[in-house]
Amino acid sequence: MSVPDYMQCAEDHQTLLVVVQPVGIVPEESFFRIYKRISAVSQVNVRDSQRVLYIRYRHHYPPENNEWGDFQTHRKVVGLITITDCSSAKDWPQTFEKFHLQKEMYGSTLYDSRLFVFGLQGEIAEQPRTDVAFYPSYDECETVEKRIEDFIESLFIVLESKRLDRATDKSGDKIPLLCVPFEKKDFVGLDTDSRHYKKRCQGRMRKHVGDLCLQAGMLQDSLVHYHMAVELLRSVNDFLWLGAALEGLCSASVIYHYPGGTGGKVGSRRAQGGSLSAEAGNRHRPGALTSNGINADTSAEIGRAKNCLSPEDIIDKYKEAISYYGKYKNAGVIELEACVKAVRVLAIQKRSMEASEFLQNAVYINLRQLSEEEKIQRYSILSELYERIGFHRKSAFFKRIAAMQCAAPSIPEPGWRACYKLLLETLPGYSLSLDPKDFSKGTHRGWAAVQMRLLHELVYASRRMGNPALCVRHLSFLLQTMLDFLSDQEKKDVTQSLESYTAKCPGTMEFITLPDGLKLPPVPFTKLPIVRSVKLLNLPTSLRPHKMKSLLGQNVSTKSPFIYSPIIAHSRGEERSKKIDFQWVQGDVCEVQLMVYNPMPFELRVENMGLLTTGVEFESLPAALSLPAESGLYPVTLVGVPQTTGQITVNGYHTSVFGVFSDCLLDNLPGVKTNGCTVEVIPALPRLQISTSLPRSAHTLQPSSGDEISTNVSVQLYNGETQQLIIKLENIGTEPLEKLEVTAKTVNTKEKLYGDFLSWKLEDTLSQFPLKPGKIATFIVNIKVKLDFSCQENLLQDLSDDGISVSGLPLSSPFRQVVKPRIETKPINPQESSKVGDFSHVKTLEAILNFKYSGGPGHVEGYYRNLSLGLHVEVEPSVFFTRVSTLPATSTRQCHLLLDVFNSTEHELTISARNNEDLILHAGECQRMAIQVDKFNFESFPESPADGTQFANTKQLEEERQQAKGLEINSKLDICWKIPSLKREGEASVEGVLNQLVLEHLQLAPLQWDILVDGKLCDCDIVVDCKVGDPIPLEVKLTNRSKHSVGPFALTVTPYQDYQNGVHNYDLQDAITFVGSNTFYIDSVKPTKDSVYFGALLFLYTGDFYLNIKFHEDNCSRELPLSWFCLPSVHIRAMEPMVQTKP
């Protein structure tokens, strides 16, 4: 016996073997369709008996195995069913002859046979025959099952007769010696009359009868016969047959204990055997089964329990039987099949370790030279058995050997498809699955080296099958899941192989369906490159949308009356983890930043890398990148344009690496940090681009608000200079620009600015709106720098003034007042005086122009954008006012303002004031300029609060008043400078130079005194002419410009003559007389009112006379400052009257 049946199980010992074979040419599909119907009749209840016959069908059975039918009767072919296709009567004789030839092959053991003829009709088909059945076609054969049942009953009759014949003890008859094929030559010449020989014959026959009883459904009798055979054969050391008897005993016990069978088939084999259904639930409960079915005699049950082996004894007897088989080289197949049967029993008993010992023994059993197909079958069954006992990795090992055997070099046409199919079945045993998601969570399971070897074999098998798509899928899986275990050289080899395959068949994200229905999921390259974080980026500062503030404020529904609620906090936390607090804009390029690194030992080229999104129509703009070997974290920015509005969710990204296209979802990426995946897309807004007439600045402004400046420009100006900044506004978007607001803010400066630093007229620009896409509007900004022109160094401190001058001390203490006496003139050297201080310090002014604009659908929804222009101005000093003082003028309503002007530039400079000649200053030169100015009336400026408010407010109010006074004075002076060589000019401001004392000297007194002589106002150098002898009217007018009533006052008019040598003559009683009193009395004058008082003078002699008006020191005049009583000088020239001659 050379062909093992690896599907053998213990319950097969009770079956009758029936071979079903075709005769002649029969279509394979038709044959197996009939074979399937025949094999469905696998158990039949015997008529007039409660016994059940079990049939085992085979469509192929080696005749040499049939020779072992005496050794174990279930190996004997007792029935033959042949199927033939005969369409004409003339072919019938030949067909019937073939049927007889087929019977002769198993003739020595056959109990009965049948021939099923399909397609033959007519006279021959109508003849009644027991061994032949005629059917018109394969579709019209309803009685096949009934014919098979009748055929099985005929087999039972023969079986029963043989059993009864062998079981009857005929003491007078000589018992034949049953032999296996290889024993026949060994028994030649033996003494057949010896007691030893007779016992051997009896033991073998008893064992044979046990087999027949077991097949006939008489379990109890078979157990008795097996026990008797064991005792007889053990006494004569007939080990081969002793092993068979022990195996028969084990099989009968297994049938009793496990009525469901051990072969793993679905359903109970004894489903129709009602006789054992009651005892099937308890395998240790002995049943009573006689030849006539169930017997209620309890003594029979006791006998059954005594003869039946326990589950533990079954295994021991199997071991013993197998050890006896092992003594015979020619019994290798029997030994192997016994091991398989024992393993199946142990699998049911869940005794895996003992089962593995039997299987290990089966592996080392030496059989004849097996064919490749038999080797495949052997390893496959071993794999299946290891799987049944829970040895998954061992099972996978033998399955893989079977797969390799399918493609052995000795096979002319290797079965690569079978090899591939078997390799797929080994995957679970090595903790492998073809779904990459199973490898993305937790630690790696299984032996990576073995798994990589298996995946390589799958790739090779796929290639030999001619399926490059499978090669790409398995290589991708290998690279993705085993990357951490590949050496640098292996990584290079695998990627080179992958690139060669993808050149023919690119890797896709589609499922691959195999012929057996198995679907291979796609393998996205989430590790090539590895992504560590995904961050949705806000738009650039100049493009970020802002929501216009509503009068109602925020949405009331989002607010809660509770200070804290854990429910709200939790929900908000979840929303914050997904929803982002900024917006994207429809039609604008949006960015997502990925932090990636390349784990490969060579440069990694990633092509067609883009975003995967849902929720909004999104145009992804793919990128290509090249990552250096083992790059470390590397930022990659992916961009795209949302085409519609709404909520957009970034689900992942897609790549093309080594020719494999991958869709990598963030949910499948372990350990990826993200600031959220969902962002709102608002309607489209216009895009504004600005360009200026000034060069770009190297200085980048950093505003305190954190806003970014899109453009920075710089300009260099002298202090007081004005320059135009021309800004071109271009709409580079797709929506019209409808609204524009411009604001300016000075930043990062401690310098005090006078006047408007930046000024513009927006109306001229708005007249060009709405600005269509691609159009340009012009916006003009005037840059005017007026910083402090004061200097704390008194460069002309020795320069004398005519008369007494009031000088302003260093401006750090503007309220100190010192009266300097007149000193002698001492000219100084300007070059030496320039060493006193450093005037070359360049000051910096920085400002931000903010353009707030909107338009299109975004404007309708209440959104706008901000664009900022940074302006960096370097201010070089032009001129300095180092000293300021005043001198009284001839008129009480005027004074002289003296300014020491210093040229701090390196060029010749001219400075001029209104109604003054130009003053030329060389580089570093300082000169004094005198400007005659009318005194100012400051009554319109805010006064100090009278209710005594806080000090800070009072001080601030005082500063505002002083600043307003300085602004008015500066506007009247109109001081300008020019640098002819540079063709640059500007203004010089005295706003920061004037101190409190100078301001008081420049201010009109609150009491305004006017003297009129003969109706003419006397002031400055005005001389009033009068005639001697005529009374001259004298008017004194007082105008009260203060806020309080003043007076009464008394003043006396005293005339005198000035001899121009310092001598005044007041003794003029003979030259001048007053018409009335020379003392004027002025009553109280209310605010804003005036009073006029009249008198007269009479000159008796000619000459130049002056009037000295003095106030009486009473209480009213003492309360007011002396400066309030400043009266103009009066100069009267008395002349002779013209003599009229008579005609």
Side-chain angles (χ1 to χ4, degrees), residues 173-222:
D173 296 340
K174 189 174 182 181
I175 300 174
L177 178 65
L178 301 176
C179 300
V180 295
F182 70 86
E183 284 183 321
K184 294 179 179 178
K185 59 184 178 184
D186 297 332
F187 291 148
V188 176
L190 284 180
D191 184 5
T192 57
D193 296 328
S194 64
R195 187 177 179 185
H196 187 277
Y197 181 81
K198 290 181 179 179
K199 273 194 174 183
R200 175 177 292 183
C201 294
Q202 290 175 357
R204 292 188 178 188
M205 184 57 70
R206 188 62 64 180
K207 185 266 171 195
H208 180 66
V209 173
D211 288 346
L212 294 176
C213 291
L214 189 59
Q215 286 182 308
M218 303 176 65
L219 188 61
Q220 178 188 359
D221 291 356
S222 67

Side-chain angles (χ1 to χ4, degrees), residues 838-909:
D838 182 15
F839 305 100
S840 63
H841 178 64
V842 177
K843 296 180 180 179
T844 301
L845 292 179
E846 291 181 337
I848 297 175
L849 272 171
N850 185 266
F851 299 85
K852 178 180 175 181
Y853 65 95
S854 184
H859 175 61
V860 177
E861 295 294 327
Y863 289 95
Y864 65 91
R865 277 175 166 161
N866 278 331
L867 183 62
S868 298
L869 172 66
L871 180 62
H872 179 88
V873 182
E874 292 185 350
V875 184
E876 294 191 16
S878 54
V879 297
F880 282 118
F881 297 113
T882 63
R883 183 171 181 262
V884 59
S885 60
T886 58
L887 280 177
T890 54
S891 172
T892 59
R893 299 192 180 186
Q894 291 181 332
C895 72
H896 292 286
L897 182 65
L898 304 181
L899 298 170
D900 293 354
V901 186
F902 175 71
N903 177 10
S904 62
T905 70
E906 298 177 353
H907 308 276
E908 185 180 274
L909 179 145

Side-chain angles (χ1 to χ4, degrees), residues 701-997:
L701 273 66
Q702 297 293 337
S704 57
S705 61
D707 295 336
E708 295 180 7
I709 309 299
S710 58
T711 308
N712 290 276
V713 296
S714 63
V715 63
Q716 181 183 6
L717 299 176
Y718 284 103
N719 193 9
E721 190 176 2
T722 301
Q723 180 166 336
Q724 271 194 350
L725 170 61
I726 301 175
I727 302 175
K728 291 184 177 180
L729 309 175
E730 182 179 0
N731 183 3
I732 60 173
T734 58
E735 301 296 331
L737 203 159
E738 302 170 7
K739 298 291 182 181
L740 177 67
E741 295 180 15
V742 182
T743 56
K745 180 173 63 173
T746 305
V747 294
N748 299 342
T749 180
K750 297 180 180 178
E751 306 296 333
K752 183 172 178 60
L753 272 168
Y754 297 94
D756 293 331
F757 177 33
L758 301 174
S759 60
W760 60 81
K761 291 184 178 180
L762 189 59
E763 294 77 12
D764 297 339
T765 303
L766 292 179
S767 64
Q768 306 173 50
F769 280 45
L771 196 63
K772 301 294 183 183
K775 300 297 182 181
I776 299 176
T778 303
F779 179 64
I780 299 177
V781 178
N782 293 314
I783 306 173
K784 185 175 184 180
V785 290
K786 282 204 308 182
L787 300 180
D788 195 355
F789 284 84
S790 65
C791 177
Q792 295 185 5
E793 302 295 336
N794 190 1
L795 299 182
L796 298 180
Q797 54 188 348
D798 294 330
L799 189 63
S800 63
D801 302 322
D802 292 333
I804 298 175
S805 66
V806 180
S807 63
L809 289 188
L811 299 182
S812 58
S813 55
F815 297 106
R816 294 182 58 192
Q817 302 175 8
V818 175
V819 177
K820 294 182 64 178
R822 185 174 62 184
I823 58 177
E824 295 182 0
T825 302
K826 290 183 181 179
I828 64 170
N829 187 348
Q831 298 297 329
E832 295 178 358
S833 67
S834 65
K835 298 178 182 179
V836 178
D838 182 15
F839 305 100
S840 63
H841 178 64
V842 177
K843 296 180 180 179
T844 301
L845 292 179
E846 291 181 337
I848 297 175
L849 272 171
N850 185 266
F851 299 85
K852 178 180 175 181
Y853 65 95
S854 184
H859 175 61
V860 177
E861 295 294 327
Y863 289 95
Y864 65 91
R865 277 175 166 161
N866 278 331
L867 183 62
S868 298
L869 172 66
L871 180 62
H872 179 88
V873 182
E874 292 185 350
V875 184
E876 294 191 16
S878 54
V879 297
F880 282 118
F881 297 113
T882 63
R883 183 171 181 262
V884 59
S885 60
T886 58
L887 280 177
T890 54
S891 172
T892 59
R893 299 192 180 186
Q894 291 181 332
C895 72
H896 292 286
L897 182 65
L898 304 181
L899 298 170
D900 293 354
V901 186
F902 175 71
N903 177 10
S904 62
T905 70
E906 298 177 353
H907 308 276
E908 185 180 274
L909 179 145
T910 63
I911 188 164
S912 63
R914 184 177 295 177
N915 301 325
N916 273 47
E917 294 182 357
D918 292 350
L919 182 66
I920 300 176
L921 295 175
H922 297 287
E925 184 182 3
C926 183
Q927 292 191 31
R928 177 168 294 173
M929 66 183 299
I931 306 172
Q932 181 176 318
V933 294
D934 294 333
K935 289 187 178 181
F936 297 90
N937 179 17
F938 297 137
E939 288 184 356
S940 60
F941 300 111
E943 297 291 338
S944 301
D947 53 353
T949 54
Q950 297 181 3
F951 174 76
N953 293 339
T954 305
K955 183 177 180 181
Q956 183 179 1
L957 182 62
E958 186 65 31
E959 290 179 355
E960 289 179 358
R961 291 179 67 245
Q962 186 167 341
Q963 184 176 349
K965 292 176 182 178
L967 179 62
E968 183 176 351
I969 293 171
N970 188 69
S971 64
K972 294 290 180 64
L973 295 179
D974 194 17
I975 303 175
C976 299
W977 55 262
K978 292 183 181 179
I979 303 177
S981 61
L982 300 179
K983 296 183 179 180
R984 298 174 72 169
E985 61 182 16
E987 64 176 278
S989 172
V990 298
E991 293 179 51
V993 181
L994 304 174
N995 56 35
Q996 185 67 28
L997 184 59

Side-chain angles (χ1 to χ4, degrees), residues 18 51 445 521 551 707 815 845 888 903 955 1002 1071 1119:
V18 175
R51 284 187 279 174
R445 292 179 62 247
L551 296 176
D707 295 336
F815 297 106
L845 292 179
N903 177 10
K955 183 177 180 181
L1002 292 175
E1119 292 175 358

Side-chain angles (χ1 to χ4, degrees), residues 49-51 160 163 216-218 220-221 289-294:
S49 171
Q50 293 188 3
R51 284 187 279 174
E160 186 68 7
R163 181 188 69 81
M218 303 176 65
Q220 178 188 359
D221 291 356
L289 189 64
T290 64
S291 60
N292 292 321
I294 296 179

Side-chain angles (χ1 to χ4, degrees), residues 1011-1027:
I1011 308 297
L1012 284 82
V1013 177
D1014 197 13
K1016 295 180 181 180
L1017 185 65
C1018 295
D1019 199 1
C1020 301
D1021 297 328
I1022 296 176
V1023 179
V1024 180
D1025 297 330
C1026 64
K1027 296 178 181 179

Side-chain angles (χ1 to χ4, degrees), residues 627-645:
L627 298 174
E630 298 175 350
S631 61
L633 282 180
Y634 189 88
V636 174
T637 302
L638 301 181
V639 298
V641 180
Q643 303 294 334
T644 56
T645 61

